[in-house]
Amino acid sequence: MAKILCVLYDDPTDGQPTTYARDDLPVIDHYPGGQTTPTPQGTDFTPGHLLGSVSGELGLRSFLESRGHTLVVTSDKEGAGSVFDRELVDADIVISQPFWPAYLTAERIATAKNLKLAVTAGIGSDHVDLDAAISNGVTVAEVTYCNSISVAEHVVMTVLGLVRNFIPSHQIVLDGGWNIADAVSRSYDLEGMHVGTVAAGRIGLAVLRRLAPFDVQLHYTDRHRLPEAVEQELNLTWHESTADMVPHCDVVTINAPLHPETEGLFDDKLIGTMKRGAYLINTARAKIVDRDAVDRALRGGQLAGYGGDVWYPQPAPADHPWRTMPHHAMTPHISGSSLSAQARYAAGTREILESYFAGTPIRDEYLIVEGGALAGTGAHSYSTKEG
Ligand code: NAI
């Protein structure tokens, strides 16, 4: 029997909701391109309910306990003596989420002698030291595609929010004011602008598709070039590298995983090559950009706006400079944790666990590391320190 350690974000400040804003979710059984949404043999939760916080337990407790497994759920993940550190030593499986990442460092993996499987209930497994997982034979899996469209919607919202100066304009209303000039003196139309994405995988391509009707000029760079038919359909300009692309763009959106190729990519030098007054949107991972370089570029006017939902570390400390820098559209890490996305990542986590316990293969597209090497989506989208 296995011990499953699940690290989730805290419950709402007023406790788990007893009612919800809406009664149902749209039924979606395929993602764009044909991949099916998760197909577990069963689920024990109501789609549309809060599943990603501690009391939501990803809807896993009765499934696991009825089979004799032990489930420990906690949000306490930091500092010596945390529940996460205490329970990790004999855990067989760790489940964590990018929104509230349980950082599975090489040191922690070394203490977790029973650890065989690390599941990301979401997408993006950079909170796991993949090199350590590889050398310790730990399988790493995530629920590929479960919240890619959720993030793409957040990106489009943030692009429009920044370019149109929505957030300060809304603040004027909240403050009881009516100074139109204050609101519009930083407000532009997106129409005609050049928009580029760093990576055109599931999220990046969905962003391109959603922005095409705004009559913008679309650009992308990716280590895998898109099919020619897609480039033609969306009138895409492909660039060999991020450095080649960004000087052409008014808006840049980052949609690549965090791995050795992308860590620290947007530093003072690269940001300095962007058009003055460009907007940078990062819902991928905070460490892809240099924290202080972004702050400097906003204060100096090189960037007209920065937005997204990813920080380092998470939760972000109260004095994190991105909370107070000018012209930002930051949220806590929420874009991939809508109630819609939660139903998919809870079901996908259950599907991965069912496969693991049955000894049947985990879907290839869910795999990041298996058998001591990058595998599945991991082999497609990540690199290790060795390359
Ligand atoms: P995906 O695997 O479909 O696409 C990733 C793309 O990045 C691939 O096309 C890959 O070729 C490309 N890529 C990798 N290294 C690159 C490099 N050095 N330069 C250019 N392109 C590169 O993954 P998906 O679903 O699009 O997600 C991407 C990332 O977004 C995740 O790894 C995660 O970090 C982040 N994410 C954030 C969420 C949030 O809630 N804010 C939720 C979901 C994902």
Side-chain angles (χ1 to χ4, degrees):
M1 291 302 109
K3 173 176 168 183
I4 296 98
L5 174 57
C6 187
V7 181
L8 299 175
Y9 48 79
D10 286 318
D11 285 352
T13 36
D14 295 333
Q16 279 293 93
T18 49
T19 59
Y20 288 86
R22 295 181 48 78
D23 296 328
D24 60 7
L25 297 179
V27 176
I28 295 168
D29 54 15
H30 285 79
Y31 301 110
Q35 182 187 317
T36 57
T37 50
T39 50
Q41 285 161 18
T43 54
D44 302 308
F45 60 81
T46 305
H49 284 195
L50 184 61
L51 303 167
S53 63
V54 169
S55 295
E57 300 182 325
L58 298 174
L60 291 172
R61 187 168 293 280
S62 61
F63 160 67
L64 291 170
E65 290 184 346
S66 66
R67 286 157 181 78
H69 304 300
T70 304
L71 175 66
V72 177
V73 183
T74 183
S75 65
D76 181 19
K77 68 185 182 78
E78 304 296 343
S82 67
V83 175
F84 175 52
D85 274 332
R86 274 205 320 270
E87 300 285 350
L88 182 62
V89 287
D90 61 349
D92 300 278
I93 298 173
V94 168
I95 302 172
S96 178
Q97 297 187 291
F99 323 106
W100 188 262
Y103 296 108
L104 262 180
T105 57
E107 296 71 32
R108 283 186 166 130
I109 288 176
T111 69
K113 300 289 181 213
N114 295 349
L115 186 64
K116 293 166 208 72
L117 175 64
V119 181
T120 303
I123 303 174
S125 297
D126 52 275
H127 59 281
V128 181
D129 186 313
L130 298 184
D131 292 82
I134 286 170
S135 49
N136 286 274
V138 176
T139 295
V140 182
E142 60 185 42
V143 190
T144 303
Y145 232 146
C146 66
N147 54 16
S148 301
I149 302 301
S150 324
V151 177
E153 291 185 1
H154 194 100
V155 172
V156 173
M157 174 184 76
T158 308
V159 170
L160 288 168
L162 286 172
V163 172
R164 311 265 340 161
N165 205 34
F166 174 82
I167 296 169
S169 307
H170 182 62
Q171 190 63 45
I172 289 172
V173 172
L174 298 179
D175 294 344
W178 195 263
N179 192 309
I180 305 290
D182 279 349
V184 299
S185 52
R186 292 187 69 89
S187 173
Y188 298 88
D189 291 353
L190 182 61
E191 183 183 27
M193 286 190 175
H194 288 251
V195 181
T197 175
V198 179
R202 292 170 180 83
I203 297 173
L205 180 57
V207 170
L208 292 169
R209 285 196 183 287
R210 277 155 183 73
L211 286 177
F214 283 88
D215 291 331
V216 290
Q217 303 294 314
L218 294 171
H219 301 251
Y220 82 100
T221 183
D222 197 299
R223 64 202 321 222
H224 304 285
R225 199 157 170 179
L226 290 166
E228 206 180 326
V230 177
E231 288 191 355
Q232 282 174 4
E233 178 200 341
L234 298 173
N235 193 22
L236 303 179
T237 303
W238 181 76
H239 299 266
E240 183 80 38
S241 68
T242 303
D244 288 342
M245 182 181 80
V246 299
H248 302 281
C249 296
D250 303 286
V251 178
V252 173
T253 154
I254 306 174
N255 298 296
L258 173 63
H259 61 122
E261 282 173 22
T262 56
E263 185 159 354
L265 185 61
F266 280 80
D267 54 9
D268 284 306
K269 188 160 165 257
L270 185 69
I271 294 172
T273 69
M274 296 174 74
K275 288 175 72 169
R276 193 190 78 82
Y279 303 88
L280 183 59
I281 288 86
N282 179 13
T283 51
R285 287 294 179 265
K287 283 166 118 185
I288 297 174
V289 304
D290 175 328
R291 184 193 72 172
D292 297 329
V294 167
D295 185 32
R296 278 191 288 273
L298 286 170
R299 291 182 195 284
Q302 174 60 12
L303 289 177
Y306 180 88
D309 67 333
V310 285
W311 307 67
Y312 187 81
Q314 287 186 181
D319 63 352
H320 194 293
W322 288 2
R323 291 184 187 268
T324 48
M325 65 190 178
H327 315 306
H328 80 77
M330 292 300 295
T331 63
H333 193 160
I334 57 156
S335 67
S337 199
S338 59
L339 294 174
S340 323
Q342 289 177 39
R344 290 188 293 269
Y345 67 62
T349 301
R350 167 109 174 223
E351 181 188 329
I352 290 168
L353 294 174
E354 285 177 0
S355 303
Y356 176 79
F357 291 132
T360 54
I362 295 170
R363 282 200 215 194
D364 197 53
E365 63 260 33
Y366 289 169
L367 291 173
I368 302 299
V369 169
E370 197 185 43
L374 292 174
T377 294
H380 182 89
S381 295
Y382 285 79
S383 60
T384 59
K385 291 185 190 104
E386 276 77 50

